[in-house]
Amino acid sequence: MKIDLSGKTALITGATGQLGRVMARTLAECGADIAIHYHSNAAKAHQLQDEIKQLGSKTVVVQADVAQMESIAAMQAAIAEQLGTVDIVVANAVVQYEWTSILQQAPEDYASQFESCVMQSVYLAKAFAPAMIAQKWGRFVGINTECSMQNFPSQSAYVAGKRGMDGIYRVLAKEIGEHQVTVNQVAPGWTISDRDRENNTESNAGYEKSVPLNRRGTDQEIANAVAFLASDLASFITGAYVPVNGGNVMPAI
């Protein structure tokens, strides 16, 4: 048994980011063609495109502002022209900002999180779900966070955006499930990425002490979960929020 995405086309938003680039490579390794979305890092997007071509997948680079419906619609049209229908959408892009307390957090930070978490999810559904419904197969995988269950100080804007995203994904799962389109979320913990490897910051004893598996996860482990949910191996899973964090948070029944 293996994850086989041959014949599928996947879009990863924020594909040039620390986690996004590994997701893109992993889905390509599983056989999918890849649409690489970026907002401002064109150089990294084209570097990633070269890597994916070497894996034997077709690939296209697309720029878009995921907080604007018109921009996402234009991205959808560009992908359709070059790769055809998008079968798998991975909503990974999010606006970065400086975390602080609610009393000090700028109002625009809450707006940015709402736009890049909630509205991105809405716009992606509007742009890509109709074709999935028509073909009776599709996958939405949203990248959430363990913070949605932690609600620690300074997390308010991020948590608000991601909990809003959770609501959209759960409702969407019920609305389009009859068409065999699944809608799930992967919730990473504090994940080791290329940035940590470059800066020798892979280990953090304080955080690791709270994790049942006593370590931080890796970007590849997040990508593995995304690939599983994107595949036919997960064909009867929808509406799920899947923590990939070594047990640091555990949804309860």
Side-chain angles (χ1 to χ4, degrees):
M1 183 181 295
K2 67 176 183 177
I3 294 176
D4 183 3
L5 299 178
S6 300
K8 305 298 184 186
T9 295
L11 162 67
I12 299 91
T13 70
T16 60
Q18 294 291 310
L19 299 185
R21 66 190 69 165
V22 185
M23 295 175 198
R25 287 193 293 260
T26 299
L27 296 187
E29 288 168 353
C30 293
D33 294 331
I34 306 295
I36 299 168
H37 161 263
Y38 76 97
H39 179 258
S40 57
N41 195 344
K44 188 65 180 180
H46 287 286
Q47 177 186 333
L48 183 59
Q49 182 182 40
D50 290 341
E51 295 175 15
I52 289 173
K53 284 180 178 178
Q54 292 176 12
L55 295 171
S57 292
K58 297 177 183 177
T59 178
V60 61
V61 169
V62 285
Q63 191 280 336
D65 179 351
V66 297
Q68 300 293 327
M69 182 68 225
E70 296 82 2
S71 191
I72 285 185
M75 175 173 68
Q76 184 274 331
I79 298 169
E81 182 178 354
Q82 299 184 64
L83 295 180
T85 297
V86 170
D87 308 288
I88 301 159
V89 171
V90 182
N92 171 66
V94 66
V95 171
Q96 301 296 322
Y97 70 100
E98 192 72 26
W99 292 11
T100 186
S101 70
I102 293 174
L103 299 185
Q104 295 177 310
Q105 197 79 63
E108 52 265 31
D109 293 329
Y110 294 93
S112 78
Q113 295 308 289
F114 181 84
E115 290 168 355
S116 64
C117 295
V118 177
M119 296 314 300
Q120 175 188 188
S121 301
V122 172
Y123 297 150
L124 289 172
K126 289 179 179 293
F128 294 99
M132 296 181 187
I133 291 169
Q135 69 184 11
K136 297 289 185 181
W137 198 99
R139 301 285 186 266
F140 284 93
V141 183
I143 306 305
N144 206 294
T145 172
E146 68 176 3
C147 300
S148 295
M149 294 184 65
Q150 292 172 322
N151 304 303
F152 287 155
S154 81
Q155 294 180 343
S156 64
Y158 189 50
V159 166
K162 290 298 188 181
R163 287 178 74 92
M165 174 185 177
D166 177 74
I168 294 294
Y169 268 65
R170 290 175 189 266
V171 173
L172 184 64
K174 292 185 177 183
E175 289 182 347
I176 64 177
E178 65 179 300
H179 304 288
Q180 306 310 305
V181 180
T182 67
V183 183
N184 294 294
Q185 298 172 84
V186 169
W190 188 18
T191 304
I192 295 170
S193 66
D194 288 342
R195 182 184 296 118
D196 292 298
R197 297 181 186 101
E198 293 164 2
N199 296 326
N200 295 315
T201 55
E202 294 96 328
S203 181
N204 184 285
Y207 177 82
E208 292 161 1
K209 185 178 180 180
S210 70
V211 179
L213 293 185
N214 294 127
R215 64 178 179 86
R216 293 172 65 192
T218 67
D219 44 14
Q220 186 62 62
E221 288 171 313
I222 305 304
N224 292 346
V226 170
F228 169 70
L229 290 172
S231 76
D232 281 331
L233 297 179
S235 58
F236 204 56
I237 301 173
T238 197
Y241 168 96
V242 182
V244 185
N245 59 14
N248 196 37
V249 299
M250 299 181 184
I253 60 171

